[in-house]
Every structure is written in C-alpha cells, then in structure tokens.
Amino acid sequence: MKTNNPIFIGGASLVEEDNSLVDCYNYLKNEKVLSIDIETTRKFYKYENEGLDPYTTKIVMFQIGTIDRQYVIDTRVVDISILFPLLIDPSIVIVGHNLKFEYKHIAHTYGIKINNLYDTMLVEQILFNGLQHNKARVIQTDGKFKNYDGNSLEDLIYRYCEVAVFKGTRLEFLDIKDKPYTETQINYGADDIMYPLIIRDIQLLDVEAKEVQKTLDLEFLYLPVLGDMELNGMYFSKERWTEAYDENLPIFQKAKEELNNYIIEHYRSTDFVNRQLDLFATGFKCNISWTSPKQVIKFFRHLNICTQEVSKSTHKLEYTVNAKVVRASMLADFKDVDESIKVFMRKYLSFKEAEQSVTTFGIKWFKYVNPITGRAHSNYRQIVRTGRSSSSAPNLQNIPSKDSFRRAFNCAPGWKIVNADYGGQETLVLAEKSREPNIIKLINEGGDMHSFVAKHIYPELKDLSDKVIKKEHGDKRQTAKAAGFAIQFGGSGYTISKNLGIDTEAGEYVYDSYFKAFPDLKDYFEEVKAETYKQRYILIDPLTGRKQWFNTPSNNKERGAIDRKSLNSPIQGCAGNITKLAGVLFTRWITKSNYNDCVKLTNIVHDEINVEVKDEYAEETAIALSECMEKAGDVWVKIVKLKADAVITEYWSH
C-alpha cells in the first residue's frame, strides 16, 4: 500500500524539500485532480460545537495535494491565499470526503467557494444505496471490535485499502492552540488527502459499471447549495418562540393532569397509584411519569393494549408507546376495547401532542440557535435511501406547520421571506411515470383527485360536485385521501384497514375502489415490481440512473418491503431530484445576478424552498424562484406542468 509523502509548510519539514507556498502552487497548478482537507480548532472555548461550526471554529491546518505529494500547511502562521485560484478553477476536480465541511469553513473563513467537487462519501452512498458491506470486523488497539460498514473516511480506507487508521488524532486539533504539530498529526493530515484520491480511482470503476454518473453530477452540483444553506441558516425570533411555549405549557400541564386524574379514578387499587399518605400530603398520586416510555409501556401492557414494532436502534421487535403507533393501533387493533380505555388512549394522544410542543419544540430548542449569528443552522444529510435530503440538529423539515411556531422564523428589518412549493409534486411525478389517463385528465381539468376517488368508494357521491364533497362529505374524502397516500407508498388493503381503523374486508374494498378510479395504475405498479426483481435493483430515476439495490428476499415480509419501496422510492426520488435541481438553478441565478449579499437560500423542505431577501429584490426573487423551480420540473415532468407559485411574506407562513 502506498504511503504518504507530506511536505509541511509552517515549521520544520519532515522531508528535505523546498516547502514554500510558491513551489506548492507551481507544482499543483498543472494538476487536474487535487485533494483537500482541513483541521479545525475551537475559537472561543465556551460553545458546544466549537471545532465543527464555522462560526465558532478556526482553521488551523490546510492540506492539499496529489497521491504522490501532499502539502500540509499550518494556517495559524501561513497565508494560503496564493492557492485560492486552484480551489475555484472549474477545470480542476477537488476531491475529499464529506466536502460540505470543507466547503462551509473555507467559504466562511476565506470568502471563496470551491467548486467542481468529488465527494467520496456521497459516491459511496450512491454506489451502495440499500446494500451492506461485507468486510469482517477487526480488533482495535483498545480491544474493542470495529465494523467498517459505514460511510466515514475511516470505513472507506479499510474497505478499499485494507488499512485500519486511528481517527482519534483529529480530536487533538481541538485544543492545539499554539503547540507545534507532531509528526503523527502531520502524517494524519497527509493521509486525509492521499486516501480519498486512491478511493476515487477505485470508485470510478464502479460508477461506470453501475451507470450512476449522472446521479453524481447532480449531487456534486447540489453539495454547494446545501453548504450555502447551512451557512445562511434561518432568521429566528426567541421572543416569538417563547410566546408559543407560554401558550402550550398550560395545555401540556392540563393534559398531564387529566391523565393523572384518570389513573387515580380508575386504577386507584393498583401499584400505578401511590396510596401511602404522610403528614403533609393528602389524597392519591399517580406513579406514572408520562414522559418515561418505560413506565408508560408498563401501564399499556397492564391494559393489554401495547403494540410491538421493530426498533430503529436495536432492529428487534419491542413494545412501544410511540404516538403514531398508538393512534394506528387504537383505530385498528384495539378498536373493540372498552370505551373507558379508548378515553384513556385519546387522553394519552392529546398529552403526547402537547408534550412535543413544550419539549421537542420548547425552550430547549434554543440550544440550536447559533451563539454568534443568532440563527438556526441545520445540518442536512444530502442523500437518504430515496435520494431526498434530511435535516437534523435542528430538523428544519419537521417544524410544526402551526402559525405559532412558523412565525418565529421571520426576517430582519428591511428583509422579506420568499417561499414557493410545488403544487402536487408527487402526484404529478406519479402521473408522468404511470401515464394513467384518469390522473392526467384530472390534473389537466383541475379536478380534485381525492373527491374523484371518494366517488368510486361511495356510490352515493357519484353525482356530486367536488365542491359539495369537500364541504359536506369531508370524512369520506379524507378516507379516499388516506387510501391514496397508502397505495402510493406501496400499501395494501390491509395497510388501509390499519390506517383507517376499519376491518380488513373494508380495507380491501377501498383498495379495489381506488384502482377502479385509476385502472391503468395497477398494471403500472405490477410492471414496476416485476422489472425491479428482474434487474435486482429499484430504478429510482431513469434520467439520472439513481438506483436502490437490495438483497434477494428470503421471506414474504422482506419481499413485501421491497415491493413497497419499488413503488414509493421512484416517486420520492424523482421528486427529490427535481427539488435539488431547482436549488442548483436558483443558486446559479443568485450568483449570476450578483445577489449573494441580498438573497439567501435558507431552507428546503422536500417540495418547498425558503429564501430571505432584501425588500427591494423581493418581487424579482419571487419570479426567479418560481421560474427556476418550474424549469427543474420540466426536466422530469413533461406530460403535465409542474407549477410552483412563490409568495412574499414577513415570516415562514407558506
């Protein structure tokens, strides 16, 4: 295996070579592929995410080079601006692992935006989407087992190069201050640019074999979009958020009190109620802490209403009192239980809703507000299984749609919010893929899809207008809507019965009625499933070649899961690709218009794009955002027009 060749600039060199930045630039300027990496440290020594967050972090080491030569530069004492032309040259491929980290820190610290990126982490996610790696475990120096089946650089180095590296050296930079770099640290920095280049050469063979280059092209263009969005963050008002908390806290307290009173009234003789009085207390006390899943599960099991599901953490079947599961089981599995137990379940669900408003979205949410910018900067995972992106710390994609929460995401004086979302994005993608005549006709005529389905489920609605059905038969339309979502996600009649709390026979009737409304859709679904098994992967998007692989199913449960994914992933994945390209096009418009200081892309939520803009540019930006989103839609959806209407508001209200 090749060893690194570090040239250290900023102190004593490990090798006898000219270590000037000029020689570094002259050597690298003729290369067409370069690898980069940075090491960062705390800037203030008092904030939680220092060393990771660009605003509370200092770049202390910059590494750049090729497989044959790696330059390790001490940026505490060396100005690297001479190298900037290499980073922004569109003819030079910049290679790295999890390059969004480097992109953000370099953009914030040096004011330049690297482009023409190749991220080995993103490539690995695309190449092995849905598959597990089969490398055996090895024993680390601390005696613990390590499975190299993730997508970290450490994992890839072992899988591709069969070298077990110790990444703990990275933590040494957090408190480096003015201490000189050790030989180990310099070699560590050199490894971080040598190995991605070696890995890239091997990955490219697989990229060609699996025909996913166009998927990579889109993801590499989208990477800077996410980087900019994370840097920008969302304007946030603690005052407005606190107002929402103050409104929700008494609701939460009342919901908890009602639960406690229910237990005391109905289960006073059980261990769930404390009956041991003392000199200072009278009456009874509920022993259940409703925020403790363990204690709540114990009570649910006592009532024989506790459902099991596969845990996301242990991957084993475990008891759960998750609100979503409780709601579904109440409608289906336990619909015949005593009415008093149903009353309890409804009270519990009300409590869980109120609890989320004061815990997940309570005052503790302030920990996500950046101490320097005062804004909420999310971390976006660029690729999930379908190709969409997800958000975390904080998750800006699951902020409640209630006005009391959204109004906290407003804008500074002199600025506006421009927001646009696609109208029926996934439905139009389904229409494009299936070419189902009734769906296409409904869309072109402006008909309501859920009312149309409701007419096939309930014959008595046949001659009523969509308007009347919406106004007078909303419950029946809601059934049709729920059925549609379940079926588009690969659900069956059983799924519908469970979701709606109806018996299996009724669920099958609703299922069959849906396909009577759209008869060609069932044939399309069967063709998709057959083709999926034939090619041994789910073709998420023929245009880009995005794929989701799977192992041969060993039982009906696994086969059912693949069937559902084969129907859902192409819809979500193509929709995700559309939104990603829209983000790329809109970012290009910002750059081309030289509006980087007055138009800020702040959040993307599946089919929705949120922007902050100075007042005087709001109208122009709204038009541009709609045009970019619709232009992206035209690439994938051609049989009907995918529209995106932008609105100008004072806060995130769309």
Side-chain angles (χ1 to χ4, degrees), residues 233-246:
M234 295 190 77
Y235 194 91
F236 181 76
S237 169
K238 285 187 176 181
E239 291 75 17
R240 291 187 175 186
W241 192 267
T242 302
E243 289 173 3
Y245 174 80
D246 290 340

Side-chain angles (χ1 to χ4, degrees), residues 37-57:
D37 189 58
I38 61 172
E39 303 302 333
T40 57
T41 191
R42 296 185 177 100
K43 186 185 289 186
F44 303 105
Y45 288 85
K46 61 179 179 178
Y47 298 125
E48 183 177 350
N49 291 321
E50 286 188 88
L52 299 175
D53 166 43
Y55 296 99
T56 59
T57 292

